[in-house]
Every structure is written in structure tokens, then in C-alpha cells.
Amino acid sequence: MSVKILSITLLLISMCVCCHSEDTHEHPGRIPPCCPAVTKGNMTADVVGQTYHKLAARYHCVKAIIFDTKDGQLCADPDAQWVKDLTAKMRKV
């Protein structure tokens, strides 16, 4: 019984190590951003700066566009028309 528990424990630890190393591959030493949900309304007026970041869906994070605001980061729905318009405008600059 003890060998069975040890085997399961080692399996779980190795799975955690593999998943963790996969997450930090793009940015070693940094925790990648995560959006558990996106804003529903048009937040164009709150966006500052001329940059944005695309975020792919993974684990509990949803697909999103991240904008900077004076209060921090904003997770927006990449399929929302206001987001498409704003990112197109930013690409032209």
C-alpha cells in the first residue's frame, strides 16, 4: 500500500512540474497574465496608451485582449466590435 501511495505522489509531482514548466516557457521567471472573464461594456474611454496584448485561452483563462487603463489592466472580448475598432486604430499608429 505504501508503494502505491508513493507512486501516485511521484506521478502527481511530475505532472505539476511539467505543467509549470510549460506555462513559464514563453516568459521565464514571469507569471503570464490571465483573464478569468472579459468586460461586457464598451470601455474605449478608459483605455490609455497605444498598446494591447493578445491573450490565448488556457486553463481557467479566457481568450482576451488586454488594454492598459489608469486603474490597471482591462480584459476585453476580442470579438467585441469596440475592441476590433480600437486595436485596428492602434495598429495604424
Side-chain angles (χ1 to χ4, degrees):
M1 177 112 155
S2 153
V3 173
K4 195 175 193 178
I5 293 173
L6 180 61
S7 297
I8 292 172
T9 303
L10 289 174
L11 177 65
L12 291 173
I13 290 172
S14 63
M15 287 174 55
C16 289
V17 168
C18 288
C19 292
H20 178 70
S21 64
E22 186 177 299
D23 284 347
T24 58
H25 179 68
E26 291 180 23
H27 306 285
R30 280 190 13 184
I31 298 173
C34 176
C35 292
V38 292
T39 185
K40 301 293 182 193
N42 186 332
M43 305 294 286
T44 303
D46 295 336
V47 175
V48 296
Q50 294 296 317
T51 60
Y52 63 92
H53 304 282
K54 294 181 182 179
L55 180 66
R58 65 179 186 8
Y59 306 113
H60 64 278
C61 307
V62 298
K63 181 178 172 184
I65 300 292
I66 301 177
F67 294 108
D68 290 323
T69 71
K70 65 178 182 168
D71 297 322
Q73 292 187 327
L74 168 73
C75 297
D77 180 358
D79 296 323
Q81 190 59 50
W82 73 270
V83 175
K84 292 177 182 180
D85 293 343
L86 187 57
T87 55
K89 181 180 173 186
M90 288 178 172
R91 282 192 302 269
K92 288 181 182 178
V93 171

